[in-house]
Amino acid sequence: MLSKIFSAEALLIWRKQLLSQGGSSADLDWLLDVGGGLRWTVLQKLHLDPRGSVELEVSLDQLEKLWWKYQIDHIPLQYLIGRCPWRDFELEVSSSALIPRQETELLVDLALDKLPKDFLGPWVDLGTGSGALAVALARSFPNAIGHAVDCSKEALTLAERNLKRLAPGNKVCTHLGSWWEPLRPWWGSIALAVANPPYIPAKLIDELHPTIREHEPLLALCGGADGLTSCRQIINGAINALGEKGLLILEHHHDQSDLVVELMASSGFADLEVSKDLAGIKRFAMGLRC
């Protein structure tokens, strides 16, 4: 059995040797944290005082194999480990769905800011993927009725596992299908809809980093010729699906803000707002169905 206990000095030497061959220290430290169980704060203390020993959840040999799969084959670390920290929980992830991004956490915050703490729904997460947004909403509004929709059976199965584990006793129904279509029985009553749809223009797909382009599902990345195909479908369908004053919050590409707001305005949405991501870029559009 490979040892999982190392001197702090040996671990730091191992880390330095790997980084001398290329790669990001942030990525390697993420692997040590999430994959090896060595919290980032503990690692920083080791830099200051490399005496003593540390115990990892897996061996350094195992971590190194994962590191080279990431470096050489460009397989995302999250897929290699099968987990991804997000908000205050850790999601199971796989190549059947996008890796949840940190900026998408803000979409949840926007919904929480707009809704009362005793919100009862119904809410919907369109294109749920791993179920990140659905889990966050289910945990934030445990008494609310929710719906998670995805056109990928594999992604929906993944979301169901995350919901069961991270939001036990949740009141979320899952639906296989395209956007609003599986939700017809609830049309006209939905109070909140959130979505992080495919929004990357087709011509930009080849420019994506290999970890994204070669491993994350194209179905969840490509938004058609101008990147707005899915946004249009969601916005157009929302007028029938949302109830009066129903709230729609959409994540979009970094240069699509004005176009998405224009689409929402022309479809009859009011009280339109735009919010920025962690980098200060306009990333979210929201409005109320009149």
Side-chain angles (χ1 to χ4, degrees):
M1 180 178 294
L2 297 174
S3 175
K4 299 178 184 178
I5 301 176
F6 314 90
S7 71
E9 184 178 6
L11 184 141
L12 293 175
I13 291 173
W14 172 87
R15 178 181 178 276
K16 184 176 181 180
Q17 288 175 338
L18 278 190
L19 291 175
S20 70
Q21 301 174 67
S24 161
S25 61
D27 289 341
L28 183 54
D29 292 348
W30 188 96
L31 178 61
L32 278 167
D33 187 339
V34 182
L38 180 65
R39 300 284 82 87
W40 184 86
T41 52
V42 175
L43 178 60
Q44 303 317 301
K45 292 178 182 179
L46 296 183
H47 286 296
L48 298 174
D49 183 7
R51 294 174 295 180
S53 61
V54 293
E55 183 173 2
L56 302 181
E57 294 175 358
V58 298
S59 71
L60 289 181
D61 286 342
Q62 290 171 303
L63 289 175
E64 188 166 340
K65 288 178 181 178
L66 295 177
W67 178 250
W68 290 118
K69 282 183 175 292
Y70 169 62
Q71 291 288 7
I72 297 172
D73 300 329
H74 303 297
I75 303 173
L77 290 173
Q78 293 91 337
Y79 288 164
L80 289 169
I81 296 173
R83 304 192 308 277
C84 179
W86 198 78
R87 287 186 73 82
D88 59 342
F89 49 84
E90 192 172 81
L91 291 155
E92 176 188 347
V93 295
S94 75
S95 59
S96 63
L98 287 184
I99 297 167
R101 266 62 174 186
Q102 188 177 9
E103 63 261 21
T104 305
E105 296 182 15
L106 298 178
L107 196 157
V108 179
D109 293 332
L110 291 172
L112 297 182
D113 287 343
K114 293 291 183 181
L115 299 170
K117 293 182 178 180
D118 59 352
F119 175 70
L120 296 176
W123 57 260
V124 303
D125 173 19
L126 300 168
T128 192
S130 65
L133 291 172
V135 168
L137 291 174
R139 289 162 65 101
S140 299
F141 302 115
N143 296 316
I145 301 298
H147 301 271
V149 179
D150 207 286
C151 64
S152 165
K153 183 177 181 181
E154 293 76 16
L156 202 62
T157 300
L158 175 64
E160 289 169 346
R161 290 199 298 269
N162 279 321
L163 281 162
K164 182 178 180 180
R165 180 174 58 87
L166 296 169
N170 71 80
K171 299 180 180 181
V172 183
C173 299
T174 57
H175 307 269
L176 181 64
S178 179
W179 305 129
W180 299 106
E181 191 57 34
L183 300 172
R184 277 185 175 270
W186 294 273
W187 280 13
S189 67
I190 295 168
L192 167 70
V194 298
N196 178 20
Y199 55 64
I200 299 175
K203 63 183 179 182
L204 299 182
I205 295 295
D206 288 342
E207 300 177 13
L208 296 174
H209 191 278
T211 55
I212 301 172
R213 185 183 67 243
E214 297 174 6
H215 297 284
E216 297 198 61
L218 181 64
L219 183 65
L221 291 169
C222 184
D226 63 355
L228 292 171
T229 298
S230 295
C231 287
R232 287 191 186 91
Q233 293 171 346
I234 292 171
I235 292 169
N236 291 339
I239 295 303
N240 290 323
L242 290 175
E244 186 177 357
K245 301 296 182 182
L247 175 64
L248 174 64
I249 309 177
L250 280 175
E251 184 171 333
H252 53 69
H253 203 231
H254 65 83
D255 58 357
Q256 294 172 343
S257 179
D258 291 345
L259 292 171
V260 172
V261 169
E262 183 179 322
L263 286 170
M264 294 179 73
S266 63
S267 292
F269 279 86
D271 296 330
L272 294 167
E273 295 182 46
V274 171
S275 186
K276 297 178 180 178
D277 64 15
L278 297 169
I281 297 170
K282 293 179 181 179
R283 182 69 66 174
F284 308 98
M286 57 187 136
L288 299 178
R289 175 192 177 277
C290 293

